[in-house]
Amino acid sequence: MVINLRRIFLFFVFVTFLNCNSKKNSESTESSNAKLQRIELLNLKMKIPNNYDKISSDYFSDILEKSIYRNKFTEYELKSMDRYRKFGSNAEIFVDNDDITNVIIFHGADYIKMSKEALELYIEMVDGNIFADAELKGIEYKRLEGEFLNYGLAEVVKVKFSQTYHQEESTKTYLTNYLVSHNLKSFGIIVINKENIDFQYVLDNFKL
């Protein structure tokens, strides 16, 4: 019986090691497919996927409106397009060249010192903004993650959702929000794509 318990314990240790190692390898591969690009808003260089290029919010609105990728969900997005235009000079948008509905947005924010204690408050705030009238618009949101992260001297709250329009799986996209506080400043990063990739390595420059 003792031998069996030891075998079970060793098996779980082995599986855990494989999972962790696989995740690290995956993150390393993703990061190697990125390049440093300057974020003027932050006066910093951040890792951005190789196939993403910066465009203006107005141009993004225009190309999305004319896109061959339009479906029922992007029809809803077009009705909400003002949110991209409102970012204006207070945001920088990077778009996937292979699918323009995949985006990474850096935007300014009022300074907030992030902490584990602030995590729940931030999640409530994001929930309130996202879920407010989603049901009336036929959008189903599901929160997938909510965690506090330390990146060197930067403090980060990460919240991830899936969003589906009228229960159609073909419209499912993943929305990740990062709120970062560093050096008495705060900014946000919004990652939207269909592949459930949150590009967390964009924060690597803050590691010590």
Side-chain angles (χ1 to χ4, degrees):
M1 182 66 179
V2 173
I3 293 175
N4 288 340
L5 287 175
R6 285 177 179 171
R7 285 179 178 173
I8 292 170
F9 174 74
L10 289 172
F11 172 76
F12 278 111
V13 169
F14 178 67
V15 169
T16 301
F17 171 78
L18 285 180
N19 287 339
C20 290
N21 198 44
S22 175
K23 184 177 180 182
K24 286 179 181 177
N25 288 338
S26 175
E27 290 173 352
S28 176
T29 301
E30 285 181 12
S31 181
S32 67
N33 292 325
K35 60 186 175 184
L36 286 174
Q37 294 198 50
R38 186 169 185 79
I39 313 299
E40 299 296 339
L41 177 72
L42 307 176
N43 195 27
L44 291 171
K45 285 188 175 181
M46 310 281 280
K47 283 185 177 180
I48 306 294
N50 287 329
N51 57 320
Y52 278 62
D53 287 327
K54 186 190 298 186
I55 63 174
S56 72
S57 56
D58 285 338
Y59 183 54
F60 177 55
S61 301
D62 291 340
I63 61 175
L64 184 58
E65 190 166 2
K66 299 170 184 174
S67 172
I68 62 172
Y69 296 100
R70 285 179 65 166
N71 56 27
K72 291 183 178 180
F73 185 70
T74 49
E75 291 299 328
Y76 158 75
E77 287 292 293
L78 288 170
K79 294 175 184 176
S80 305
M81 193 54 65
D82 279 346
R83 67 177 164 181
Y84 296 113
R85 292 193 174 96
K86 284 175 183 175
F87 278 128
S89 61
N90 196 37
E92 294 179 46
I93 301 174
F94 293 82
V95 176
D96 183 352
N97 292 320
D98 299 323
D99 184 344
I100 60 165
T101 60
N102 294 340
V103 297
I104 301 173
I105 302 171
F106 295 82
H107 64 89
D110 294 332
Y111 175 68
I112 304 172
K113 180 174 174 55
M114 291 292 97
S115 65
K116 290 181 180 179
E117 292 71 26
L119 174 61
E120 287 303 318
L121 291 175
Y122 180 66
I123 288 177
E124 285 180 16
M125 181 179 72
V126 173
D127 283 355
N129 289 335
I130 287 181
F131 296 131
D133 59 349
E135 189 173 333
L136 294 175
K137 293 178 179 177
I139 304 170
E140 178 185 334
Y141 283 94
K142 180 179 180 181
R143 190 183 335 127
L144 305 176
E145 290 183 41
E147 59 181 328
F148 174 77
L149 306 168
N150 276 309
Y151 270 76
L153 297 177
E155 297 161 330
V156 183
V157 163
K158 173 186 178 183
V159 185
K160 180 191 283 189
F161 300 88
S162 66
Q163 52 186 12
T164 309
Y165 187 61
H166 281 301
Q167 299 182 337
E168 293 187 23
E169 283 298 308
S170 63
T171 69
K172 179 174 281 189
T173 55
Y174 297 88
L175 170 66
T176 305
N177 281 271
Y178 299 98
L179 187 59
V180 184
S181 61
H182 175 256
N183 198 24
L184 299 180
K185 295 181 180 179
S186 293
F187 64 92
I189 306 172
I190 301 171
V191 178
I192 304 173
N193 59 57
K194 298 171 183 172
E195 291 78 27
N196 194 13
I197 304 172
D198 52 35
F199 298 123
Q200 192 166 305
Y201 62 72
V202 297
L203 301 169
D204 281 356
N205 282 16
F206 292 108
K207 289 181 177 178
L208 292 178

